[in-house]
Amino acid sequence: MQIQGIQKLQTDENRQASQEPDSPSLHIITKPVETEEISFGETAEPIREQRKSGWTVTAYYWCRVCKQKTPVTDAKSCDCGVTMCNVCWAEWDFTCPICESDMSK
Amino acid sequence: MSENKSRLQTLFEQGEFVVTGEIGPPKSANGEGIRKHAEHLKGYCDATNLTDNQTAIVRLSSIAAGMHVLKAGGEPIIQMTCRDRNRIAIQSDLLGAYSLGMKNMLCLTGDHQSFGNHPTAANVFDVDSIQLIRMVKRMKDEKVFACGEAIKKDEPRFFIGAVANPFADPFEVRVYRMEKKINAGAQFFQTQIIFDLERFERWMELVRERGLHERAYIMAGVMPVKSAKVAAYMQKNVSGMIVPDEMVTRLKNAEDQQAEAVEICVEQIKHIRKIKGVSGVHIMAVGWEEIVPSIAEKAGLLPRPQAAGIARVAG
Ligand SMILES: [Zn+2]
Ligand SMILES: [Zn+2]
C-alpha cells in the first residue's frame, strides 16, 4: 500500500518535474493584516498597544533537545546556533556540543 | 549588462572539482572575525557561503558579511532565505548585493523562527525557495522584476545556487524537488551534510538517471566532526541528517579524536570525488573553521586552480 503510494507520488512528481515547476507564479493577493499601534509619549518611549495574541517581545526559547518552551532566563543560545534549556546544558557540562564554546557564564 | 561570471561559476565551467567553505556571521556588529576567517580560507576554498540568520538567530547580515569577505580578497556566496523578507525586500537586497560585487547566491527556505531567538517573530514566506530561484533567474534572463516591470539597465546576474537534502524522507521524492529547482533556474547545488555515503550514492544514482548532474553542478556537503561528543549530539538531536553509529564508535575509540575526525572527513571527500556527477565539496566546519586548510591539503584538493580571466585568489 505504502509502496503504491510512493509509486503514485513518483509518477505524479515525475510528470510535474518534466514540465514547468509546479509552484504557482507570483500574483497579488489580499491578506488581512493585524496592526500594532505605536504612539510616543513625552519621554519618547514607545507605548505599545497589546495585540490580541500578546506582547511581541520574546520571553522564551524552545529547547532543541527536550523540546520544552523555556523562559529565556533558564535557557542559553550558543553563537553556533545550539539553543537549550539550562537542564539540558547541564547534561553537556555547559560546553557546546557542536563548537565546544564555554556556556557556563 | 555583459556576462561577468563569478570565480565559482568559471571554475565549474572549467571542469574543476570545486571547494567551498562557510562562515556563520557573528551575533554582533563586528566584522573582524569574518575577515579573519575569510583570510584563513583564502587559497583553500574557491568561495565562501555567508549564512542568512542561520538557525533563525539574529546575526550580522549575509550581504554585509559578503562585503567583509570581498574586502579580505575572497569570493562570497550570499545565502538568502524566504523567512525574513518579502519579494520587495529580496529584490532590493539582490540589487544591492550585486552592486557591491557579489555574484553568487544560494536560495533557501530558512529555518522556522520558532527555533531561534525570536520565536514570536512574524515570518514572511511571501515566496518559497523555488519561486525565489525563478525570481532571480527572471531578473537575470528576462530582465524583469517579479511584477513583470522591466529592469531597464544593469540587471543583477547572479550564479544561482540551491540546496538539496538526500537524507530527508520520502527519499525518492527529493530528486524531483531538485529537478523543480533546476527547472526554476538553479545552476548549482550544495547538499545537506553527508555522513551516510551509501545513501548518498543511491541518491546520486537517481540524480544521474534523470540527467540532473548534466543540468546543474552538485556539491556534496561535508563536515569534520570534532569529537565523539559532537557526533553523538548530532545523531540524537539534529534532524534531516544521518550520523552512522560506526562513525560515533570510531571517534570514541580514537586516541586522538580530532586527528581521527580529520581522517574521516578526508576519507569522505576522497570517496565523494569518485562519484560520477559530483562537481565539488562544500565544507561546513561549524565552530572549527581553522581545520579547513588541513582537510583540503590531506584530501589532495590543493593547490586550488586559477579561474581563467580572474586574477584574484578567492576564499
Ligand atoms: Zn531542554
Ligand atoms: Zn556552539
Side-chain angles (χ1 to χ4, degrees):
Chain A
M1 191 60 201
Q2 222 173 10
I3 292 167
Q4 274 176 356
I6 288 174
Q7 276 171 349
K8 184 183 177 328
L9 198 54
Q10 258 183 293
T11 322
D12 291 348
E13 289 274 353
N14 204 337
R15 199 178 309 128
Q16 285 169 5
S18 53
Q19 294 159 10
E20 277 296 287
D22 72 345
S23 296
S25 294
L26 299 177
H27 62 281
I28 297 164
I29 53 161
T30 47
K31 204 174 161 187
V33 180
E34 210 181 326
T35 54
E36 182 188 27
E37 283 181 27
I38 298 178
S39 55
F40 288 85
E42 278 178 11
T43 57
E45 282 293 314
I47 303 158
R48 292 189 165 80
E49 304 292 331
Q50 200 170 7
R51 284 183 184 184
K52 251 188 264 166
S53 55
W55 296 103
T56 53
V57 174
T58 302
Y60 65 88
Y61 286 159
W62 285 97
C63 173
R64 289 239 169 167
V65 173
C66 68
K67 319 282 184 219
Q68 294 302 306
K69 187 175 175 175
T70 313
V72 280
T73 44
D74 299 329
K76 284 190 173 87
S77 175
C78 177
D79 277 2
C80 74
V82 173
T83 303
M84 289 193 270
C85 71
N86 288 346
V87 177
C88 291
W89 273 115
E91 283 180 27
W92 295 94
D93 301 323
F94 289 91
T95 305
C96 177
I98 295 288
C99 70
E100 299 189 331
S101 296
D102 177 11
M103 296 298 289
S104 60
K105 284 165 229 136
Chain B
M1 196 178 261
S2 66
E3 197 64 43
N4 185 8
K5 287 179 184 171
S6 71
R7 175 184 164 81
L8 182 68
Q9 184 173 5
T10 309
L11 288 175
F12 276 130
E13 288 176 0
Q14 279 175 207
E16 308 286 356
F17 190 77
V18 171
V19 183
T20 53
E22 185 162 305
I23 298 175
K27 292 199 272 186
S28 76
N30 190 333
E32 208 185 315
I34 302 169
R35 289 195 296 274
K36 267 192 195 152
H37 277 317
E39 286 278 348
H40 195 71
L41 295 176
K42 216 159 41 168
Y44 301 100
C45 293
D46 303 310
T48 309
N49 283 39
L50 285 318
T51 55
D52 180 15
N53 294 313
Q54 101 226 34
T55 59
I57 287 173
V58 178
R59 292 161 193 279
L60 190 145
S61 87
S62 60
I63 292 170
M67 199 61 221
H68 288 294
V69 170
L70 280 175
K71 275 188 182 166
E75 174 156 306
I77 302 170
I78 302 305
Q79 293 195 186
M80 176 134 346
T81 69
C82 305
R83 181 193 56 228
D84 307 326
R85 303 167 179 88
N86 66 11
R87 68 193 78 173
I88 300 171
I90 290 174
Q91 292 175 98
S92 163
D93 278 351
L94 290 176
L95 297 178
Y98 199 80
S99 78
L100 291 168
M102 294 160 215
K103 294 175 190 167
N104 310 299
M105 72 163 299
L106 189 83
C107 306
L108 309 105
T109 305
D111 299 317
H112 196 271
Q113 76 279 1
S114 11
F115 301 114
N117 62 356
H118 290 74
T120 54
N123 59 28
V124 181
F125 299 118
D126 181 26
V127 291
D128 64 24
S129 58
I130 294 176
Q131 289 169 327
L132 172 60
I133 293 166
R134 196 181 311 141
M135 195 162 81
V136 188
K137 184 182 163 61
R138 287 187 73 213
M139 287 174 96
K140 175 163 73 169
D141 292 349
E142 297 172 37
K143 300 181 180 50
V144 288
F145 292 108
C147 61
E149 184 191 330
I151 305 174
K152 288 185 185 138
K153 56 176 186 173
D154 299 336
E155 75 285 355
R157 305 195 59 77
F158 283 101
F159 183 46
I160 308 166
V163 292
N165 187 355
F167 305 104
D169 285 319
F171 178 67
E172 291 80 0
V173 171
R174 308 314 301 179
V175 179
Y176 300 119
R177 187 161 170 79
M178 186 183 179
E179 187 163 357
K180 283 178 192 168
K181 289 185 178 182
I182 294 176
N183 290 344
Q187 296 168 284
F188 74 98
F189 282 86
Q190 290 176 333
T191 74
Q192 171 68 285
I193 297 166
I194 296 157
F195 296 121
D196 187 341
L197 287 169
E198 213 177 287
R199 184 164 164 139
F200 178 63
E201 285 201 78
R202 271 196 285 135
W203 182 77
M204 277 305 297
E205 267 173 37
L206 298 177
V207 166
R208 286 194 302 269
E209 266 174 31
R210 298 192 69 80
L212 303 185
H213 63 303
E214 284 160 356
R215 296 179 59 203
Y217 302 102
I218 299 163
M219 306 189 78
V222 294
M223 177 189 175
V225 179
K226 217 173 183 174
S227 63
K229 190 176 157 183
V230 178
Y233 175 85
M234 292 178 73
Q235 190 176 44
K236 214 171 140 199
N237 301 300
V238 183
S239 57
M241 189 180 288
I242 298 170
V243 184
D245 289 334
E246 191 188 289
M247 192 174 104
V248 184
T249 316
R250 198 172 147 185
L251 283 165
K252 214 181 273 176
N253 296 339
E255 249 176 60
D256 181 344
Q257 294 200 2
Q258 294 204 354
E260 191 68 14
V262 171
E263 192 55 41
I264 293 172
C265 191
V266 167
E267 282 173 20
Q268 285 169 341
I269 294 173
K270 286 183 175 168
H271 187 117
I272 284 165
R273 203 171 177 173
K274 287 185 203 146
I275 301 173
K276 193 180 167 215
V278 179
S279 304
V281 277
H282 176 53
I283 307 173
M284 288 170 268
V286 186
W288 202 21
E289 288 84 357
E290 64 276 14
I291 202 65
V292 173
S294 164
I295 291 171
E297 193 195 336
K298 291 195 168 90
L301 300 170
L302 301 182
R304 296 309 310 144
Q306 283 301 305
I310 299 172
R312 198 177 57 216
V313 175

